[in-house]
Amino acid sequence: MRLLILSALTIILAYISFIILTINDLIYQSYSVKLTALQIKEIFALQEKWNWLSYTIIPILLLIKTTLISSILYIGTFFYSKVKVTFKQLFNAVVKAEFIFLLVGVTKIIWFYFFQTNYTLEDLQYFYPLSALNIVGYKGLDVWFIYPLQVLNLFELAYWLLLSYFIGKLAFTEKDKGKPMDLGFKIVASSYGSALLLWVVVVMFFTLNYS
Protein backbone atom coordinates (compact mmCIF):
# COMPACT_ATOMS: atom_id res chain seq x y z
CA MET A 1 0.00 0.00 0.00
CA ARG A 2 2.82 2.41 0.89
CA LEU A 3 4.52 1.65 -2.41
CA LEU A 4 1.33 2.55 -4.28
CA ILE A 5 1.06 5.84 -2.38
CA LEU A 6 4.74 6.57 -3.04
CA SER A 7 4.29 5.81 -6.74
CA ALA A 8 1.16 7.99 -6.99
CA LEU A 9 2.87 10.93 -5.26
CA THR A 10 5.95 10.55 -7.46
CA ILE A 11 3.81 10.57 -10.63
CA ILE A 12 1.83 13.61 -9.44
CA LEU A 13 5.04 15.43 -8.57
CA ALA A 14 6.57 14.60 -11.96
CA TYR A 15 3.48 15.90 -13.76
CA ILE A 16 3.38 19.11 -11.70
CA SER A 17 7.07 19.64 -12.36
CA PHE A 18 6.55 19.16 -16.11
CA ILE A 19 3.80 21.80 -16.17
CA ILE A 20 5.17 24.39 -13.74
CA LEU A 21 8.75 24.30 -15.01
CA THR A 22 7.56 24.47 -18.67
CA ILE A 23 9.70 21.55 -19.82
CA ASN A 24 8.37 21.71 -23.39
CA ASP A 25 9.52 25.31 -23.77
CA LEU A 26 12.97 24.38 -22.49
CA ILE A 27 13.19 21.45 -24.92
CA TYR A 28 12.23 23.78 -27.79
CA GLN A 29 14.88 26.33 -26.78
CA SER A 30 17.52 23.61 -26.40
CA TYR A 31 16.91 21.98 -29.79
CA SER A 32 15.93 25.04 -31.85
CA VAL A 33 19.57 25.69 -32.73
CA LYS A 34 20.23 22.14 -33.96
CA LEU A 35 16.86 21.11 -35.43
CA THR A 36 14.22 22.61 -37.68
CA ALA A 37 10.78 23.62 -36.40
CA LEU A 38 9.26 20.60 -38.16
CA GLN A 39 11.70 18.18 -36.51
CA ILE A 40 10.98 19.67 -33.10
CA LYS A 41 7.25 19.39 -33.78
CA GLU A 42 7.72 15.70 -34.60
CA ILE A 43 9.62 15.21 -31.33
CA PHE A 44 6.77 16.81 -29.37
CA ALA A 45 4.20 14.68 -31.19
CA LEU A 46 6.17 11.52 -30.34
CA GLN A 47 6.58 12.69 -26.76
CA GLU A 48 2.86 13.33 -26.39
CA LYS A 49 2.06 9.90 -27.84
CA TRP A 50 4.33 8.04 -25.41
CA ASN A 51 4.12 10.39 -22.45
CA TRP A 52 1.87 7.96 -20.57
CA LEU A 53 4.64 5.35 -20.70
CA SER A 54 7.06 7.54 -18.74
CA TYR A 55 4.52 7.83 -15.92
CA THR A 56 3.56 4.14 -16.07
CA ILE A 57 7.17 3.04 -15.69
CA ILE A 58 7.66 5.01 -12.44
CA PRO A 59 5.99 2.37 -10.18
CA ILE A 60 8.00 -0.37 -11.91
CA LEU A 61 11.28 1.46 -11.34
CA LEU A 62 10.38 2.13 -7.71
CA LEU A 63 9.51 -1.53 -7.19
CA ILE A 64 12.83 -2.63 -8.71
CA LYS A 65 14.78 -0.09 -6.65
CA THR A 66 13.13 -0.91 -3.31
CA THR A 67 13.36 -4.66 -3.95
CA LEU A 68 17.08 -4.47 -4.76
CA ILE A 69 17.86 -2.31 -1.73
CA SER A 70 15.79 -4.58 0.53
CA SER A 71 17.65 -7.62 -0.79
CA ILE A 72 21.02 -6.00 -0.14
CA LEU A 73 19.99 -5.01 3.39
CA TYR A 74 18.60 -8.50 3.97
CA ILE A 75 22.05 -9.92 3.27
CA GLY A 76 23.59 -7.31 5.60
CA THR A 77 21.38 -8.36 8.52
CA PHE A 78 22.90 -11.87 8.47
CA PHE A 79 26.28 -10.46 9.51
CA TYR A 80 25.20 -8.04 12.23
CA SER A 81 21.81 -9.01 13.60
CA LYS A 82 21.09 -11.71 16.15
CA VAL A 83 17.40 -11.44 15.28
CA LYS A 84 15.96 -12.82 12.05
CA VAL A 85 14.61 -9.81 10.20
CA THR A 86 12.24 -10.78 7.41
CA PHE A 87 12.48 -9.46 3.86
CA LYS A 88 8.97 -8.02 4.16
CA GLN A 89 9.97 -5.99 7.22
CA LEU A 90 13.00 -4.62 5.41
CA PHE A 91 10.97 -3.86 2.30
CA ASN A 92 8.47 -1.84 4.36
CA ALA A 93 11.35 0.03 6.01
CA VAL A 94 12.91 0.86 2.63
CA VAL A 95 9.60 2.09 1.18
CA LYS A 96 9.02 4.33 4.21
CA ALA A 97 12.51 5.81 3.87
CA GLU A 98 11.98 6.41 0.13
CA PHE A 99 9.40 9.11 0.90
CA ILE A 100 12.29 11.44 1.78
CA PHE A 101 13.19 11.69 -1.91
CA LEU A 102 9.82 13.30 -2.69
CA LEU A 103 11.27 16.41 -1.06
CA VAL A 104 13.89 16.52 -3.82
CA GLY A 105 11.20 17.12 -6.44
CA VAL A 106 9.35 19.63 -4.24
CA THR A 107 12.57 21.56 -3.54
CA LYS A 108 13.44 21.57 -7.24
CA ILE A 109 10.07 23.07 -8.19
CA ILE A 110 10.30 25.72 -5.46
CA TRP A 111 13.86 26.65 -6.40
CA PHE A 112 13.27 27.18 -10.12
CA TYR A 113 9.81 28.72 -9.73
CA PHE A 114 10.68 31.29 -7.06
CA PHE A 115 14.46 31.75 -7.05
CA GLN A 116 16.31 30.76 -10.23
CA THR A 117 13.57 31.77 -12.64
CA ASN A 118 15.92 32.08 -15.62
CA TYR A 119 17.13 28.55 -16.32
CA THR A 120 17.92 26.13 -19.15
CA LEU A 121 17.16 22.46 -19.73
CA GLU A 122 20.71 21.62 -18.61
CA ASP A 123 20.20 23.55 -15.37
CA LEU A 124 17.16 21.37 -14.62
CA GLN A 125 18.91 18.13 -15.57
CA TYR A 126 21.98 18.70 -13.42
CA PHE A 127 20.35 20.42 -10.46
CA TYR A 128 20.13 18.32 -7.31
CA PRO A 129 19.17 20.28 -4.18
CA LEU A 130 21.55 20.28 -1.22
CA SER A 131 24.18 18.31 -3.17
CA ALA A 132 27.92 18.77 -3.62
CA LEU A 133 27.31 19.45 -7.33
CA ASN A 134 25.37 22.61 -6.46
CA ILE A 135 28.40 23.89 -4.58
CA VAL A 136 30.91 23.00 -7.31
CA GLY A 137 28.67 23.72 -10.31
CA TYR A 138 28.36 21.55 -13.41
CA LYS A 139 29.75 24.04 -15.94
CA GLY A 140 33.31 23.20 -16.88
CA LEU A 141 33.17 19.98 -14.85
CA ASP A 142 34.09 16.65 -16.42
CA VAL A 143 30.84 14.84 -17.15
CA TRP A 144 31.84 11.69 -15.25
CA PHE A 145 32.13 13.69 -12.00
CA ILE A 146 28.53 14.94 -12.17
CA TYR A 147 26.69 11.83 -10.94
CA PRO A 148 28.84 11.14 -7.83
CA LEU A 149 28.57 14.79 -6.81
CA GLN A 150 24.79 14.55 -7.21
CA VAL A 151 24.67 11.43 -5.03
CA LEU A 152 26.62 13.26 -2.34
CA ASN A 153 23.68 15.20 -0.90
CA LEU A 154 21.80 15.77 2.35
CA PHE A 155 18.71 13.88 1.19
CA GLU A 156 20.83 10.75 0.74
CA LEU A 157 22.23 11.28 4.25
CA ALA A 158 18.68 11.59 5.62
CA TYR A 159 17.79 8.39 3.75
CA TRP A 160 20.67 6.56 5.45
CA LEU A 161 19.58 7.83 8.86
CA LEU A 162 15.97 6.78 8.30
CA LEU A 163 17.02 3.32 7.15
CA SER A 164 19.34 3.04 10.15
CA TYR A 165 16.52 4.01 12.51
CA PHE A 166 13.96 1.60 11.03
CA ILE A 167 16.38 -1.32 10.69
CA GLY A 168 17.89 -0.71 14.11
CA LYS A 169 14.43 -1.08 15.67
CA LEU A 170 13.93 -4.37 13.83
CA ALA A 171 17.35 -5.92 14.45
CA PHE A 172 18.36 -4.68 17.92
CA THR A 173 18.18 -6.94 20.97
CA GLU A 174 19.02 -6.42 24.64
CA LYS A 175 22.22 -8.44 24.08
CA ASP A 176 23.51 -5.90 21.54
CA LYS A 177 25.83 -3.16 22.73
CA GLY A 178 25.16 0.49 22.03
CA LYS A 179 21.91 1.80 20.61
CA PRO A 180 19.52 0.47 17.95
CA MET A 181 20.53 3.34 15.64
CA ASP A 182 24.19 2.28 15.87
CA LEU A 183 23.39 -1.27 14.82
CA GLY A 184 21.11 -0.05 12.05
CA PHE A 185 23.82 2.24 10.69
CA LYS A 186 26.36 -0.61 10.65
CA ILE A 187 23.97 -2.74 8.61
CA VAL A 188 23.13 0.11 6.22
CA ALA A 189 26.73 1.23 5.74
CA SER A 190 28.14 -2.24 5.17
CA SER A 191 25.44 -3.42 2.76
CA TYR A 192 23.63 -0.52 1.10
CA GLY A 193 26.66 1.78 1.40
CA SER A 194 28.95 -0.72 -0.31
CA ALA A 195 26.41 -1.36 -3.07
CA LEU A 196 25.88 2.37 -3.62
CA LEU A 197 29.62 2.96 -3.91
CA LEU A 198 29.91 0.14 -6.46
CA TRP A 199 26.96 1.57 -8.42
CA VAL A 200 28.52 5.06 -8.52
CA VAL A 201 31.84 3.63 -9.74
CA VAL A 202 30.06 1.66 -12.50
CA VAL A 203 28.11 4.76 -13.62
CA MET A 204 31.34 6.81 -13.64
CA PHE A 205 33.09 4.12 -15.69
CA PHE A 206 30.37 3.97 -18.37
CA THR A 207 30.00 7.77 -18.44
CA LEU A 208 33.73 8.15 -18.95
CA ASN A 209 33.78 5.59 -21.76
CA TYR A 210 30.73 6.91 -23.62
CA SER A 211 31.26 10.65 -23.14
Side-chain angles (χ1 to χ4, degrees):
M1 186 63 179
R2 287 194 186 96
L3 185 61
L4 290 176
I5 296 172
L6 177 63
S7 300
L9 290 175
T10 304
I11 291 170
I12 292 169
L13 197 57
Y15 180 76
I16 292 173
S17 177
F18 186 84
I19 300 299
I20 290 181
L21 301 180
T22 59
I23 305 297
N24 272 346
D25 292 343
L26 295 176
I27 293 172
Y28 184 85
Q29 292 171 12
S30 180
Y31 288 106
S32 59
V33 180
K34 304 174 185 177
L35 303 174
T36 64
L38 181 60
Q39 288 174 318
I40 296 174
K41 188 176 180 181
E42 289 175 352
I43 290 174
F44 283 152
L46 191 66
Q47 180 189 23
E48 188 175 345
K49 181 181 179 181
W50 295 104
N51 205 28
W52 62 271
L53 184 62
S54 62
Y55 294 116
T56 306
I57 206 170
I58 287 175
I60 299 172
L61 292 176
L62 282 173
L63 177 61
I64 293 171
K65 179 186 178 183
T66 51
T67 301
L68 284 174
I69 294 174
S70 302
S71 301
I72 292 166
L73 290 170
Y74 187 64
I75 295 170
T77 57
F78 282 107
F79 297 98
Y80 287 96
S81 178
K82 298 179 179 67
V83 179
K84 181 173 174 56
V85 182
T86 66
F87 179 83
K88 184 178 180 180
Q89 288 175 317
L90 289 170
F91 183 80
N92 288 332
V94 171
V95 172
K96 284 191 289 186
E98 281 289 325
F99 278 87
I100 192 68
F101 290 119
L102 291 173
L103 294 177
V104 175
V106 173
T107 307
K108 197 170 186 176
I109 292 171
I110 292 172
W111 177 260
F112 285 108
Y113 190 77
F114 292 103
F115 299 101
Q116 189 181 338
T117 55
N118 186 21
Y119 52 89
T120 64
L121 186 63
E122 288 74 21
D123 291 333
L124 272 184
Q125 289 174 334
Y126 295 130
F127 179 81
Y128 201 103
L130 303 179
S131 70
L133 183 62
N134 281 8
I135 299 172
V136 176
Y138 72 88
K139 294 179 181 178
L141 189 69
D142 288 338
V143 68
W144 59 292
F145 278 124
I146 290 175
Y147 182 69
L149 290 177
Q150 285 179 325
V151 172
L152 193 61
N153 63 82
L154 293 183
F155 291 103
E156 184 66 33
L157 175 61
Y159 183 66
W160 278 52
L161 294 176
L162 281 172
L163 281 179
S164 300
Y165 173 75
F166 292 139
I167 294 171
K169 286 179 66 178
L170 294 171
F172 190 80
T173 67
E174 293 180 356
K175 296 180 180 179
D176 290 309
K177 296 179 180 179
K179 299 178 181 178
M181 189 81 169
D182 298 333
L183 176 61
F185 191 80
K186 285 180 182 179
I187 294 172
V188 172
S190 62
S191 54
Y192 171 71
S194 301
L196 180 62
L197 179 61
L198 179 61
W199 171 252
V200 170
V201 170
V202 169
V203 171
M204 289 177 69
F205 174 78
F206 280 105
T207 305
L208 180 63
N209 279 275
Y210 288 99
S211 61

